[in-house]
Amino acid sequence: MSIPTTAREYAYTEIGSFNNLIVREVPVPTPKANEVLVKTRAVSLQFRDLMVSNGTYPAQFPAHLVPCSDMAGEIVAVGPDVKGWKAGDRICANFMVDKIHNEFMSNEIANSALGGGIHGVLTEYRCFPAHCLVAIPSHLTYEEASTLPCAALTAYNALSTGSEPLKAGDTVLIQGTGGVSIFALQFAVASGATAIVLSSSDDKLESATKLGAKHVINYNTTPNWDQEVLKLTNGSGVDRVIEVVGNATLARSISSVKIDGSIVIVGLLGGIGADVPAVDIIGASIFKGLKISGIFVGSVPQFRNMNKLLTANTETTRPLIDKVFEFEYAKEAFAHLASQKHVGKVVIKVN
């Protein structure tokens, strides 16, 4: 494959709105000794990308930030010191390029998150350090694979890590039908757990049922949804809540969890704030044995382990894509994500 000398990429003229994105032409970089050059094939969007665009995401951005964190592509050149990768390999880059171990986290690693602390992936060509790469499962398209680095890995991490990973027979409450939530539903079903899904849309809940949700609750028509969850679990509550909203729903999530259960916070759709008094959280932690933890995506080893699950369950865990946009219509893709009309992932086809 011939490599061009220039490529197109999106960049912010200033943070404040995704409408501030422009397309610019840049030189195609040459990989350093431990890097690979990748031709980007597809990019998927996250709610985080909207937070970055409007300036509410807590990070220091480089000037004229190239957005987005999740990509799938093809290696077209490798640096002289790279081992184990070659031109033609299909890869994803990990969300945090330096998160190469499960346990260890630092500010430096957090700041290596693509499309935040460093430039992102909404570009036709990009160099990556070889240590952040993960092979794409052979049964997935580039568009499907682009959904894995943030949404899928966050969901997998939320269900599989902690003091007691979700197992067959457990019950999990999943909020919403966005990217992380749909993957959490699929992984829960694959593990043999019972899934309860919340949404404000009956159409979205119908989609969740088709994907294997045992129970669905419309929180607009059932505002006291925590009581419905208790009813569905014979008063005991769920083993785990996948909390994507945060402050606005945390109190009801606490009410929905069984004694010695857990809440895993994976999103901030409700914004950053403190609607739940600290005394309530402390009380639940003590008297219910409740464990509340946050998940910030995952590591390269976790990504590889997740891909084993995807490969072993090719149908039940296949990524659900709501809509694919061409590269020239990236702003429209951001607008579609912001509309919250999607079920599953919004993807941009790059080339």
Side-chain angles (χ1 to χ4, degrees):
M1 177 186 296
S2 62
I3 301 173
T5 58
T6 61
R8 298 175 300 162
E9 69 180 16
Y10 279 89
Y12 283 103
T13 56
E14 60 179 349
I15 298 296
S17 168
F18 59 78
N19 289 314
N20 294 336
L21 285 169
I22 60 167
V23 178
R24 64 185 184 185
E25 190 172 276
V26 295
V28 172
T30 300
K32 298 177 183 178
N34 63 345
E35 292 182 338
V36 302
L37 176 64
V38 176
K39 180 180 177 69
T40 309
R41 296 293 191 176
V43 171
S44 70
L45 298 182
Q46 327 297 326
F47 181 74
R48 169 185 183 261
D49 297 317
L50 296 177
M51 294 181 69
V52 168
S53 73
N54 61 33
T56 59
Y57 189 78
Q60 293 293 320
F61 310 126
H64 306 297
L65 176 70
V66 177
C68 302
S69 59
D70 286 25
M71 58 76 65
E74 177 186 356
I75 295 176
V76 295
V78 299
D81 293 344
V82 171
K83 307 296 183 184
W85 299 104
K86 65 183 185 303
D89 286 346
R90 302 191 325 142
I91 60 89
C92 291
N94 198 48
F95 176 88
M96 287 174 278
V97 298
D98 292 333
K99 179 65 172 169
I100 59 175
H101 302 292
N102 289 345
E103 294 82 12
F104 183 72
M105 176 62 86
S106 66
N107 288 333
E108 290 76 17
I109 292 174
N111 289 334
S112 73
L114 293 160
I118 63 174
H119 286 299
V121 299
L122 195 50
T123 179
E124 292 179 315
Y125 288 84
R126 193 191 193 285
C127 285
F128 296 96
H131 64 246
C132 78
L133 303 181
V134 176
I136 294 172
S138 61
H139 67 288
L140 297 183
T141 66
Y142 283 116
E143 289 79 12
E144 290 170 331
S146 75
T147 70
L148 302 180
C150 183
L153 188 53
T154 298
Y156 176 81
N157 199 354
L159 295 176
S160 65
T161 60
S163 58
E164 188 173 350
L166 194 76
K167 60 187 182 299
D170 285 351
T171 302
V172 58
L173 173 64
I174 300 166
Q175 297 175 349
T177 54
V180 174
S181 301
I182 289 296
F183 273 117
L185 169 59
Q186 292 174 303
F187 292 156
V189 171
S191 72
T194 297
I196 304 172
V197 174
L198 290 177
S199 176
S200 62
S201 165
D202 287 337
D203 289 340
K204 292 180 179 181
L205 290 174
E206 182 178 352
S207 297
T209 300
K210 291 178 181 177
L211 289 171
K214 178 77 171 181
H215 305 288
V216 295
I217 303 171
N218 186 317
Y219 61 77
N220 276 344
T221 57
T222 310
N224 296 325
W225 49 263
D226 53 326
Q227 298 304 308
E228 182 65 17
V229 170
L230 293 174
K231 179 180 176 182
L232 292 170
T233 57
N234 297 317
S236 64
V238 298
D239 295 277
R240 184 164 303 185
V241 176
I242 304 303
E243 173 67 69
V244 304
V245 179
N247 59 333
T249 55
L250 188 55
R252 293 196 185 278
S253 291
I254 290 172
S255 174
S256 301
V257 180
K258 67 185 294 186
I259 291 175
D260 205 33
S262 63
I263 297 173
V264 183
I265 302 174
V266 301
L268 296 168
L269 293 178
I272 299 174
D275 288 359
V276 182
V279 66
D280 291 347
I281 298 174
I282 295 170
S285 299
I286 294 174
F287 298 113
K288 291 185 72 172
L290 176 64
K291 296 172 286 292
I292 301 177
S293 61
I295 292 293
F296 189 27
V297 197
S299 67
V300 171
Q302 287 169 328
F303 201 154
R304 290 174 179 154
N305 287 336
M306 178 189 71
N307 283 351
K308 294 177 184 178
L309 174 63
L310 293 169
T311 301
N313 298 271
T314 56
E315 294 305 318
T316 55
T317 62
R318 196 168 200 110
L320 179 63
I321 294 176
D322 182 86
K323 192 171 184 179
V324 178
F325 291 80
E326 296 297 324
F327 186 75
E328 293 76 11
Y329 296 97
K331 290 183 187 179
E332 286 79 358
F334 274 77
H336 183 63
L337 181 70
S339 74
Q340 297 188 22
K341 295 178 180 179
H342 60 289
V343 176
K345 297 297 295 180
V346 178
V347 173
I348 299 168
K349 184 177 180 180
V350 179
N351 52 34

